[in-house]
Amino acid sequence: PPDIINALCRRYMELENVTLWSGLLMYGFDFLKREYKGHINYVTTFYGPVERLFAGEGNTENFSFHFSNADKATLGLAPFNAMLCEVSPPDDKGFMSFEPTGTYHNSIMCENAEKVIVQVNEQTPYIYGFENVIHVSEFDYIVESSHPLPRPG
């Protein structure tokens, strides 16, 4: 959720040893810069183009695992207390869809996080399915936003 992450980045000097986990970033967030290390640290589960671009900054740690073991890595090896995710606006039953890339393990992350913070982006499409939705009753905080989804290239 870029607006939530950018808000954290603006306050990085107030933070100490916050670790963000993600995979295949779509934005070149400020926390990837060397001056954020020790305040906001970053661990990636997929070393994509954005991570490679900022590799020389020294604030990107790679955590590799086989994709079929995502659930084990999520629950057993990657400690977390909050889940931040972007979702679609709710449907008429109050369900919001995780963004197109959030379908492979966001559900299990939300189930196990102490706090779930969602950013509702009116431009995020609703993706139908079983484990890629969250009900409005299942999160702790909400941020509303409207921004285009990132495009490759």
Side-chain angles (χ1 to χ4, degrees):
D3 294 331
I4 296 171
I5 299 299
N6 288 332
L8 278 173
C9 288
R10 286 191 296 275
R11 300 181 68 174
Y12 82 99
M13 291 299 290
E14 302 170 37
L15 304 172
E16 188 175 319
N17 288 319
V18 171
T19 301
L20 298 178
W21 287 72
S22 185
L24 192 58
L25 284 178
M26 295 286 118
Y27 303 96
F29 291 110
D30 284 345
F31 69 75
L32 295 165
K33 298 175 183 173
R34 81 178 72 249
E35 62 264 29
Y36 285 72
K37 189 173 182 104
H39 299 281
I40 302 175
N41 307 306
Y42 177 60
V43 179
T44 183
T45 59
F46 187 87
Y47 217 77
V50 173
E51 289 85 356
R52 286 186 190 99
L53 183 66
F54 284 89
E57 294 290 316
N59 198 22
T60 301
E61 181 183 333
N62 192 26
F63 179 81
S64 296
F65 59 88
H66 193 276
F67 191 70
S68 66
N69 292 324
D71 58 342
K72 292 177 188 147
T74 299
L75 296 177
L77 300 174
F80 64 95
N81 57 4
M83 170 62 172
L84 312 173
C85 56
E86 188 160 81
V87 295
S88 70
D91 66 11
D92 58 348
K93 294 183 177 110
F95 287 95
M96 300 170 289
S97 170
F98 295 120
E99 60 174 320
T101 62
T103 59
Y104 88 99
H105 78 289
N106 278 4
S107 295
I108 198 166
M109 295 285 291
C110 288
E111 290 170 12
N112 289 281
E114 295 170 26
K115 297 285 182 199
V116 177
I117 304 167
V118 299
Q119 179 172 304
V120 177
N121 179 5
E122 65 181 21
Q123 296 184 50
T124 296
Y126 194 96
I127 309 295
Y128 292 92
F130 177 69
E131 290 189 357
N132 61 315
V133 293
I134 185 169
H135 192 265
V136 295
S137 64
E138 297 179 83
F139 59 82
D140 299 289
Y141 300 99
I142 185 170
V143 174
E144 294 184 88
S145 176
S146 178
H147 62 86
L149 297 179
R151 299 182 193 274

